Amino acid sequence: MKTAEVLSIIAIGMSTVSLGWQIVSWRRSGALIRATVNQALVGHEGIWCTNVTARNLGRMAVSVTNWGYQLPGRKAGNIFMTRPLPISPTLPHRLEAGAEVSFYMETDAIQQVCKQKGLPYQRVRAWVDLGDGRRIKARRRGIGLK
């Protein structure tokens, strides 16, 4: 192989790596939010709560303007917290790059709403609304219980 051919192969490889890095950097340049749901034992009384956590994996801050749980079915609706628990931050909440925030709702309240509507709580999906108009849904359904 000639020197020119070797150099051109190296240049093509470096260009491909550079393009890949630029794509990754561009995708992470804004706010990249992930929503998850878990169970937590809260307070001295030991109240079981379901918490929705929003993590900002991006490079830019964004505001969380609302949160809740989407019930299964097209017309089933959502569950909102009208009286937030004291451990939940007030809305809107500014979520800085690399930070996370959790919002809490009593697990019994979610189960009760689902029971009244005849829907399984294992199929609800947590979500957070952002100040830029996006709604981010948790990938996993349910409230952290089996």
Side-chain angles (χ1 to χ4, degrees):
M1 242 190 211
K2 296 181 182 178
T3 306
E5 292 172 344
V6 171
L7 290 176
S8 64
I9 290 172
I10 292 171
I12 290 171
M14 290 178 63
S15 298
T16 303
V17 169
S18 174
L19 178 62
W21 178 253
Q22 289 176 13
I23 290 171
V24 169
S25 296
W26 175 75
R27 292 196 71 196
R28 293 203 175 238
S29 63
L32 179 63
I33 307 300
R34 294 282 186 256
T36 57
V37 63
N38 291 296
Q39 287 290 310
L41 194 58
V42 178
H44 299 296
E45 301 84 23
I47 299 169
W48 279 102
C49 291
T50 302
N51 67 306
V52 177
T53 301
R55 288 182 181 85
N56 188 350
L57 304 172
R59 294 186 188 170
M60 191 167 62
V62 68
S63 292
V64 176
T65 58
N66 204 355
W67 66 279
Y69 300 90
Q70 179 182 1
L71 295 168
R74 290 187 177 193
K75 296 183 180 181
N78 292 288
I79 301 173
F80 295 97
M81 189 64 179
T82 55
R83 287 188 342 243
L85 295 175
I87 57 174
S88 293
T90 58
L91 292 174
H93 179 81
R94 184 172 170 84
L95 189 56
E96 297 294 335
E100 70 178 43
V101 62
S102 293
F103 303 97
Y104 296 85
M105 184 182 293
E106 288 185 34
T107 300
D108 288 343
I110 299 169
Q111 289 176 316
Q112 187 176 36
V113 169
C114 289
K115 186 176 179 180
Q116 287 172 350
K117 293 186 173 269
L119 300 169
Y121 66 82
Q122 296 90 341
R123 293 196 46 223
V124 301
R125 182 172 285 178
W127 53 263
V128 293
D129 283 342
L130 304 178
D132 61 10
R134 292 182 292 158
R135 174 168 283 183
I136 307 298
K137 295 179 183 177
R139 291 182 181 173
R140 187 177 52 128
R141 292 184 182 270
I143 58 174
L145 296 175
K146 300 213 178 216

